[in-house]
Amino acid sequence: METSPKERKMSRLQEEEELPKKKKGGLRTMPFIIANESFEKVASYGLTPNMILYLMKDYKMSIAKGTNLIFFWSAATNFMPLIGAFLADSFLGRFLTIGFGSLTSLLGMIILWLTTMIPQAKPPPCNPTAENCQSPTGVQYAVLVLAFALMSIGAGGVRPCSQAFGADQVDKRDNPKNERVLETFFNWYYATACFSVLIALTVIVYIQDHSGWRVGFGVPAILMFLSALTFFLASPFYIKLKPGKSLFTSIAQVVVAAYRNRKLPPLPQNPGSRYHHRKNSSMIVPSNKLRFLNKACVIRDPGQDIGLDGSATNPWRLCTVDEVEELKALIRVIPIWSSGIMMSINTSQSSFPLLQAKSMNRHLTRIFQIPAGSFGMFTIITIVLWIPLYDRVFIPLASKLRRKPVRLSVKLRMGLGLFCTFMAMVVSGIVENIRRRKAIHEGHYNNAQAVLNMSALWLVPQYCLNGLAEAFHAIGQTEFYYSEFPKSMSSIATSLFGLGMAVANLLASAILSAVNDITERGGKESWVSSDINKGHYDYYYWLLAGLSFVNLLYYLLCSWAYGPCMEEKSKVEDERNGFKTEEPKEEGGLAKSSEL
């Protein structure tokens, strides 16, 4: 049958509309997304290591005040991704959230760079030994805080969405090679993330040390400009999914519904028809744990509560069994989650090791010396080296020696991580005690700027222990969440880890302030004095070691109270049924879920 010109025209227009859709996404968008994330990481991570020196020298802050400001900045940076993820999932979508975050970070870095260019933006230069230096005015302090705030808001837009947005471009379920394409993307994503952090801790820090703050802060601003530019250049080629319902909204709805229905009488056992559940869901009755939440899914009046399509007419009064169980799973892991906060407190202590490194001999050759702010690279190097060694050498070797598959349970690895962070603080205190006694012996008690005849490589073991702590605990914690949570809650794993670091930064600030206030009473020199040789950083480290040991005991209690996790239950079930469990070939793959 012959088609009319009008029909042919409509068909041609339809084909033209479908053609761009087929061409959107794919691996060609990966360089732009990965470049956006990589440039942002180099720029933001490159500003952190030496920031305490900038605050102390140019803003005339004490180490306690400057470190507290950095702690608050880090807390905001770690907390904002939660808000960014919520906005992306519920309102803006990932593309707009990343774009807004990139531009906001750029604005913050430009303002920070301008503080190095405009003399009126900070206190006038002075001689610190004269003890008559002016503190920053309210306006100067507000401009500095504004720069930090904008960078934190920007990180909240880029970091929670970048990986998921990249996966949106290549995740095509109808493609038989879909899993391989996703694996390629994740491998490149995390490889460039590690490389970006190393560049930040080495090249950017080196530039700041040798070219000053103007160039040292200007380079990150330029990199952030390139980050935003590369992201927007590929805008016509991106797949931009519309926002839907956020998991955070679902959690809030369960809490509200349970409270509204709190006065409902208890239901008889297994009243499946009285509970609202998703279509074809395997969970039609809620569990007996945390039963006070079960009333959130009780159907009071089917005619009013359930719509024609089978969904709840008011999700703030009636939720599904699945949503109730998701919240229960989240509540159950909170004690174990809280035990990881102490590790984050320890790894966030970057200001004091920086001053230690500056007071020690950092020369590797007569010409080259390691920048004081670059010692954090030993933590990253330890993580990068340990993961493949553990996965490809130690586990296969142990399995061969024992003649059966060997695997450290996720809770054991988390415990080993907490032990490593405890030992890191013990070693940090010992090294600082040796360094301080040597400084006094060489006559530098009143000279905090003196460089001792002691190699700064003494600091490497504590950084390596912190790297092992993160490799064991941080990766194990993420794996624990993925195994314990329903698949619908997989995105909450990264959010919980970031929230833990945010809480840790706030607690670290509280501990530091308390130590400073208590130890300087009576006119005494504070343990965390800006004068490194007069203070007692060793006592401060040992205090953190004591808290870490108590936290380790707390973790053991939480682990016992939690009971067997899913992998342990599966192993017991297999043994009962007479099956031998096979060791998965790719254990290190879960390392991909951890944010640097």
Side-chain angles (χ1 to χ4, degrees):
M1 183 178 177
E2 205 172 308
T3 58
S4 66
K6 185 177 180 180
E7 289 175 339
R8 286 197 298 269
K9 183 178 180 182
M10 292 293 293
S11 177
R12 188 169 64 253
L13 289 173
Q14 187 175 358
E15 289 176 2
E16 290 175 357
E17 288 178 0
E18 290 178 355
L19 188 61
K21 292 181 181 178
K22 294 179 181 178
K23 289 187 176 182
K24 286 184 180 291
L27 289 175
R28 65 175 178 174
T29 61
M30 292 304 97
F32 299 95
I33 296 172
I34 291 176
N36 169 257
E37 172 77 3
S38 300
F39 283 135
E40 190 273 339
K41 265 189 166 50
V42 174
S44 57
Y45 280 81
L47 292 173
T48 307
N50 279 336
M51 185 57 67
I52 186 62
L53 298 180
Y54 182 62
L55 298 180
M56 291 176 68
K57 292 180 179 179
D58 287 50
Y59 277 84
K60 313 302 182 290
M61 295 185 188
S62 66
I63 188 173
K65 186 175 182 179
T67 302
N68 275 330
L69 180 58
I70 293 174
F71 279 147
F72 286 126
W73 176 31
S74 299
T77 302
N78 288 315
F79 179 75
M80 288 307 296
L82 287 174
I83 299 177
F86 171 74
L87 292 175
D89 290 345
S90 302
F91 302 105
L92 301 178
R94 295 188 179 111
F95 174 77
L96 288 179
T97 306
I98 295 173
F100 174 78
S102 299
L103 295 176
T104 307
S105 283
L106 174 61
L107 180 59
M109 290 183 188
I110 289 175
I111 293 175
L112 182 65
W113 172 69
L114 288 176
T115 63
T116 68
M117 302 290 290
I118 304 173
Q120 292 79 11
K122 55 190 177 185
C126 70
N127 182 9
T129 58
E131 298 185 356
N132 59 352
C133 296
Q134 294 182 18
S135 298
T137 64
V139 174
Q140 292 169 341
Y141 194 77
V143 170
L144 180 66
V145 170
L146 175 63
F148 288 155
L150 289 172
M151 287 187 285
S152 295
I153 294 172
V158 175
R159 296 182 186 180
C161 302
S162 180
Q163 178 185 344
F165 186 68
D168 291 342
Q169 311 307 312
V170 295
D171 188 10
K172 299 178 181 178
R173 305 299 168 90
D174 56 340
N175 183 359
K177 297 182 180 180
N178 184 58
E179 290 187 5
R180 179 57 186 163
V181 173
L182 280 173
E183 182 182 358
T184 300
F185 165 66
F186 286 128
N187 286 340
W188 278 103
Y189 185 90
Y190 286 102
T192 54
C194 291
F195 183 70
S196 299
V197 175
L198 284 177
I199 292 295
L201 295 177
T202 52
V203 177
I204 302 299
V205 171
Y206 185 87
I207 291 173
Q208 291 169 357
D209 282 1
H210 291 79
S211 301
W213 302 120
R214 293 186 178 185
V215 178
F217 286 176
V219 170
I222 294 172
L223 291 176
M224 197 61 232
F225 170 76
L226 294 176
S227 173
L229 179 64
T230 53
F231 179 73
F232 285 112
L233 278 176
S235 176
F237 307 115
Y238 292 141
I239 295 174
K240 303 168 187 176
L241 301 180
K242 294 181 179 179
K245 182 180 178 181
S246 170
L247 180 62
F248 298 105
T249 304
S250 174
I251 291 172
Q253 287 173 343
V254 173
V255 175
V256 172
Y259 178 77
R260 284 182 169 182
N261 299 337
R262 65 190 184 282
K263 294 183 180 180
L264 287 178
L267 294 177
Q269 194 170 7
N270 296 329
S273 61
R274 293 292 304 277
Y275 290 115
H276 180 47
H277 56 83
R278 292 171 184 161
K279 189 177 180 180
N280 301 324
S281 173
S282 59
M283 289 188 290
I284 60 175
V285 177
S287 64
N288 287 325
K289 296 176 180 178
L290 303 173
R291 285 178 295 179
F292 65 93
L293 293 173
N294 291 352
K295 292 184 179 181
C297 57
V298 173
I299 301 173
R300 296 172 301 171
D301 185 346
Q304 292 184 355
D305 294 344
I306 306 297
L308 296 177
D309 59 351
S311 62
T313 55
N314 184 359
W316 293 95
R317 190 172 287 276
L318 178 64
C319 303
T320 63
V321 174
D322 304 74
E323 291 172 330
V324 171
E325 292 304 311
E326 287 170 358
L327 178 57
K328 288 182 180 181
L330 178 61
I331 293 174
R332 285 193 68 215
V333 304
I334 286 178
I336 289 181
W337 164 81
S338 65
S339 67
I341 292 174
M342 192 66 223
M343 186 198 77
S344 298
I345 290 176
N346 294 341
T347 55
S348 66
Q349 305 293 330
S350 59
S351 298
F352 301 108
L354 176 67
L355 296 187
Q356 289 175 271
K358 283 190 69 67
S359 71
M360 302 167 78
N361 181 8
R362 294 175 279 118
H363 282 275
L364 292 182
T365 65
R366 289 185 177 181
I367 300 174
F368 178 74
Q369 64 176 355
I370 304 175
S374 295
F375 276 79
M377 69 181 179
F378 290 107
T379 297
I380 307 299
I381 291 172
T382 301
I383 297 173
V384 171
L385 291 179
W386 173 253
I387 291 172
L389 282 174
Y390 171 80
D391 188 39
R392 301 298 183 183
V393 178
F394 293 114
I395 291 299
L397 181 62
S399 300
K400 188 175 181 180
L401 292 175
R402 297 195 63 183
R403 297 181 180 178
K404 64 178 183 179
V406 172
R407 182 174 183 269
L408 299 183
S409 70
V410 63
K411 289 200 290 187
L412 176 58
R413 277 179 280 147
M414 291 165 67
L416 287 173
L418 295 180
F419 177 76
C420 287
T421 192
F422 158 69
M423 288 304 301
M425 291 299 101
V426 172
V427 171
S428 297
I430 292 173
V431 171
E432 170 56 18
N433 185 267
I434 295 172
R435 189 211 64 79
R436 185 176 183 276
R437 284 193 285 111
K438 190 170 185 65
I440 295 173
H441 178 73
E442 293 181 3
H444 301 310
Y445 180 75
N446 293 313
N447 184 9
Q449 306 302 320
V451 177
L452 311 182
N453 185 24
M454 178 179 179
S455 174
L457 295 179
W458 276 74
L459 299 172
V460 172
Q462 67 197 52
Y463 283 105
C464 292
L465 284 168
N466 277 327
L468 287 175
E470 291 206 33
F472 276 122
H473 189 274
I475 295 172
Q477 191 181 63
T478 305
E479 181 180 344
F480 174 72
Y481 296 146
Y482 270 87
S483 64
E484 296 302 296
F485 289 164
K487 286 185 178 180
S488 59
M489 296 183 68
S490 58
S491 62
I492 206 75
T494 305
S495 300
L496 274 178
F497 190 75
L499 179 61
M501 290 191 290
V503 174
N505 292 136
L506 295 177
L507 289 178
S509 175
I511 293 171
L512 178 63
S513 298
V515 169
N516 185 59
D517 293 341
I518 293 172
T519 57
E520 70 177 1
R521 289 176 183 173
K524 296 179 182 178
E525 193 72 37
S526 169
W527 285 3
V528 290
S529 169
S530 299
D531 192 323
I532 186 173
N533 296 328
K534 290 183 178 180
H536 270 288
Y537 296 177
D538 48 351
Y539 294 171
Y540 178 65
Y541 285 135
W542 285 332
L543 172 64
L544 295 178
L547 294 175
S548 299
F549 181 74
V550 173
N551 181 70
L552 180 59
L553 299 179
Y554 168 70
Y555 169 76
L556 295 175
L557 177 63
C558 293
S559 179
W560 170 80
Y562 187 88
C565 54
M566 290 301 296
E567 65 171 1
E568 293 168 341
K569 290 178 182 177
S570 300
K571 185 177 180 181
V572 171
E573 190 67 28
D574 288 341
E575 290 175 353
R576 283 178 181 174
N577 295 331
F579 296 109
K580 289 185 178 180
T581 55
E582 293 292 331
E583 179 67 14
K585 293 181 181 180
E586 290 286 346
E587 186 183 2
L590 282 166
K592 300 172 185 175
S593 299
S594 174
E595 283 285 334
L596 295 171

